[in-house]
Amino acid sequence: MSVFTRPALVGLPGDRTAAREIASSAVTTLSAVLVLFALLAPNDLDALTPEAFVRLPVEALLGVAVVLMLRDGARRIVAVSAGAILGLLTVFKAIDIGFGLALNRRFNPVFDWGVLGNGVDLLGTSIGRTGAIASFVGLTLLAVLVIVLMALAVLRLSQVVAGRRTASTRVTAVLSVVWMVCAVSGAQLAPGQPLASRSAVAFAYDDLRQVRAGIRDRQAFAEEVAVDAFRDTPSSGLLNALRGKDVLFTFIESYGRVAVQDSDIAPKVDAVLDAGTARLKNAGYGSRSAFLTSPTTSAGSWLAHSTFQSGVWVDSQHRYDDFVKTDRFTLGGAFKRAGWETVGVVPAHTEDWPEGKVYGYDRYYDSRSIGYHGPQFSYATMPDQFTLSAFQRAERGKPDRPPMMAEIDLVTSHWPWTPLPRMVDWAAVGDGSIYDPMPSQGKTPEEVFTDPAKVRGAYGDSIAYSLNSLISYMETYGDDDLVLVFLGDHQPNPIVAGAGADHDVPITVVTRDKAVLDKVAAWNWQDGLHPDRNAPVWRMDTFRDRFLTTFAR
């Protein structure tokens, strides 16, 4: 027995030492990989390529130089602080990637936190509110873990550098020369990926600059809102050419240029528009179409609605938050001052909306008050046909009423565009229970979002449904005193619209009244429901003033 015992006792301490060395090397290596990833990773998914990580980050060289100059106590404090900041920047990069996919823009670290809450609500429509909250909590914990691990990783590397001062100094000196040569020569392995990297510094600087620009923009926006040519216009100077008309401003969610032009979606939607033009013409209607440039894309419908109504450019959450605190003269306010009854129909709202008073509505319908007792279609609280039917019953169908102006927001074409309802006979819409079996008969978001082509197809189907609902409403309930203006709020997200897509959305005026069409003729919009690439393009914030000017008398 002693023959075997002695070698084991002798070898055990050596084994433990070797294991500790291996573990120590592994921790150091993982720390270095984690820090280099954080320093080199871009905040754009398209730029997340292998070439992005074959670069020399100046931040690492500067970090080593600082560590070599500090004593132990100060070194630990600086290392942990720098690591936590680097971890936070890494989290912001990940959020930027998410914003790029969903909203086609960067995350603003001061003003965009409310948008994250909207994202949770949106996710809840697909996986349930409990699942969405759990996902948000999980991502928050992951973000905290990234910050903690990054702090520990930088601390670990600082200890290694401090323990090997001579070697660290020599290596840093050589790499600094290499970095300067690469920086001067502009050497790069791939376009836009210079070997001499300072991406973390640039990212942090861009974020700080974005914050500073946002703060300055608040003052600029306040000055824009204060200037209003129509604020003091008396009722006698407003909308005289529309007296006696019902005017409906109807937003179709995510109805963008991609739906009607230069995409695999366009043929299907264009066919609906062309057929709709003919159908409405047979019913005595004329129509004119163009494009508006929305202040937002992919999401943020409220930014488009407020821009359209107010005549000021509301392209950020902080501008919107400031706008709803003002007494800005809106289209709703103009019609109300001129004697119309004003109505807001916003079926996507499931909670109180006190800021909506800025639009000057006499009455307001949301998902709780519109009388819907059918199923939800993913995000869409109700089908567009029901929204229009309920509005007709509650408002336009009332006898002996005054002329009415309404903003109606249609939500069936909101992401994720599936499952979709089907058109039913208007007399059968009722309280919406007729739609009960339809969600289970359609495709789930999980089925569709495995294939970008299926996503685009579902988007096209949803836009076609919304358009057919409006066209059929005009055929069924339209009359000589109805003017319909329908438009998109923004382009769909980049999965459908593509990266770098413009912000243009179609807009159309429909009416039987030739005098109204003659007024619109001065705008040089195209005939029919289908604008092509030669159609005029206005910024969305110019519509209010042009509309009020055109129909003043």
Side-chain angles (χ1 to χ4, degrees), residues 261-329:
Q261 188 178 302
D262 297 335
S263 70
D264 55 349
I265 304 156
K268 177 190 300 181
V269 176
D270 290 348
V272 173
L273 292 171
D274 293 339
T277 299
R279 287 164 56 186
L280 292 177
K281 186 175 182 180
N282 289 337
Y285 293 98
S287 53
R288 302 288 185 272
S289 297
F291 290 101
L292 299 182
T293 300
S294 174
T296 185
T297 186
S298 303
S301 304
W302 54 94
L303 305 181
H305 299 176
S306 53
T307 295
F308 181 80
Q309 283 253 16
S310 69
V312 289
W313 192 246
V314 186
D315 65 343
S316 62
Q317 187 61 38
H318 69 263
R319 282 194 162 215
Y320 178 80
D321 292 340
D322 290 346
F323 159 71
V324 296
K325 298 172 185 175
T326 70
D327 60 351
R328 178 74 181 184
F329 194 54

Side-chain angles (χ1 to χ4, degrees), residues 154-234:
V154 173
L155 178 62
R156 172 68 179 184
L157 294 177
S158 72
Q159 292 169 340
V160 173
V161 167
R164 297 170 175 81
R165 288 183 175 273
T166 302
S168 298
T169 301
R170 290 173 179 173
V171 171
T172 302
V174 171
L175 291 179
S176 295
V177 172
V178 172
W179 188 93
M180 286 187 285
V181 171
C182 291
V184 171
S185 65
Q188 51 186 344
L189 288 179
Q193 303 285 5
L195 290 174
S197 168
R198 54 178 184 270
S199 58
V201 170
F203 177 77
Y205 176 73
D206 285 346
D207 266 1
L208 290 173
R209 187 173 58 180
Q210 187 180 194
V211 170
R212 184 175 60 183
I215 293 171
R216 289 178 176 175
D217 184 60
R218 302 196 88 146
Q219 178 61 38
F221 183 67
E223 293 172 0
E224 290 176 32
V225 170
V227 178
D228 191 344
F230 289 93
R231 183 192 304 276
D232 300 319
T233 304

Side-chain angles (χ1 to χ4, degrees), residues 14 18 23 97 121 123 128 144 147 184 202 204 252 283 358 405 417 479 533:
I97 290 175
D121 292 339
L123 183 62
V144 172
I147 294 171
V184 171
I252 298 177
V358 73
M405 170 268 176
W417 307 305
D479 55 39
R533 62 173 46 85

Side-chain angles (χ1 to χ4, degrees), residues 19-309:
R20 282 197 298 269
E21 289 179 353
I22 292 172
S24 177
S25 298
V27 170
T28 301
T29 301
L30 289 174
S31 296
V33 169
L34 184 62
V35 170
L36 286 173
F37 178 87
L39 290 173
L40 295 174
N43 63 331
D44 180 356
L45 189 61
D46 292 335
L48 198 63
T49 62
E51 292 85 357
F53 298 96
V54 188
R55 296 183 294 156
L56 183 60
V58 69
E59 299 88 354
L61 301 177
L62 293 173
V64 172
V66 170
V67 165
L68 291 173
M69 291 187 294
L70 296 175
R71 295 187 178 184
D72 286 351
R75 172 177 51 78
R76 283 192 289 270
I77 293 172
V78 170
V80 171
S81 300
I85 292 171
L86 184 58
L88 186 61
L89 290 177
T90 304
V91 171
F92 282 168
K93 286 182 181 181
I95 296 175
D96 262 0
I97 290 175
F99 264 58
L101 290 172
L103 304 177
N104 205 23
R105 66 174 177 83
R106 286 191 64 177
F107 170 71
N108 187 305
V110 172
F111 301 113
D112 275 341
W113 294 105
V115 178
L116 297 180
N118 294 329
V120 173
D121 292 339
L122 178 58
L123 183 62
T125 65
S126 297
I127 63 174
R129 184 159 183 82
T130 301
I133 293 174
S135 298
F136 178 76
V137 171
L139 289 173
T140 301
L141 293 175
L142 179 61
V144 172
L145 180 62
V146 167
I147 294 171
V148 171
L149 288 178
M150 201 67 67
L152 294 175
V154 173
L155 178 62
R156 172 68 179 184
L157 294 177
S158 72
Q159 292 169 340
V160 173
V161 167
R164 297 170 175 81
R165 288 183 175 273
T166 302
S168 298
T169 301
R170 290 173 179 173
V171 171
T172 302
V174 171
L175 291 179
S176 295
V177 172
V178 172
W179 188 93
M180 286 187 285
V181 171
C182 291
V184 171
S185 65
Q188 51 186 344
L189 288 179
Q193 303 285 5
L195 290 174
S197 168
R198 54 178 184 270
S199 58
V201 170
F203 177 77
Y205 176 73
D206 285 346
D207 266 1
L208 290 173
R209 187 173 58 180
Q210 187 180 194
V211 170
R212 184 175 60 183
I215 293 171
R216 289 178 176 175
D217 184 60
R218 302 196 88 146
Q219 178 61 38
F221 183 67
E223 293 172 0
E224 290 176 32
V225 170
V227 178
D228 191 344
F230 289 93
R231 183 192 304 276
D232 300 319
T233 304
S235 60
S236 60
L238 291 169
L239 302 165
N240 290 295
L242 292 172
R243 297 285 174 184
K245 304 294 182 187
D246 290 335
V247 182
L248 311 183
F249 296 103
T250 304
F251 280 92
I252 298 177
E253 171 68 37
S254 302
Y255 179 39
R257 184 188 285 270
V258 70
V260 301
Q261 188 178 302
D262 297 335
S263 70
D264 55 349
I265 304 156
K268 177 190 300 181
V269 176
D270 290 348
V272 173
L273 292 171
D274 293 339
T277 299
R279 287 164 56 186
L280 292 177
K281 186 175 182 180
N282 289 337
Y285 293 98
S287 53
R288 302 288 185 272
S289 297
F291 290 101
L292 299 182
T293 300
S294 174
T296 185
T297 186
S298 303
S301 304
W302 54 94
L303 305 181
H305 299 176
S306 53
T307 295
F308 181 80
Q309 283 253 16

Side-chain angles (χ1 to χ4, degrees), residues 466-533:
S466 297
L467 290 169
N468 275 318
S469 296
L470 265 180
I471 293 165
S472 182
Y473 175 85
M474 294 297 288
E475 291 175 312
T476 306
Y477 298 112
D479 55 39
D480 294 344
D481 291 325
L482 177 60
V483 177
L484 170 67
V485 180
F486 71 88
L487 68 155
D489 49 7
H490 54 68
Q491 289 260 50
N493 70 38
I495 297 174
V496 175
D502 62 37
H503 286 208
D504 295 346
V505 298
I507 181 169
T508 298
V509 176
V510 182
T511 183
R512 282 179 180 164
D513 192 325
K514 186 177 183 300
V516 173
L517 291 175
D518 288 344
K519 289 280 188 181
V520 173
W523 298 349
N524 296 316
W525 288 14
Q526 293 179 333
D527 184 59
L529 307 182
H530 176 200
D532 63 29
R533 62 173 46 85

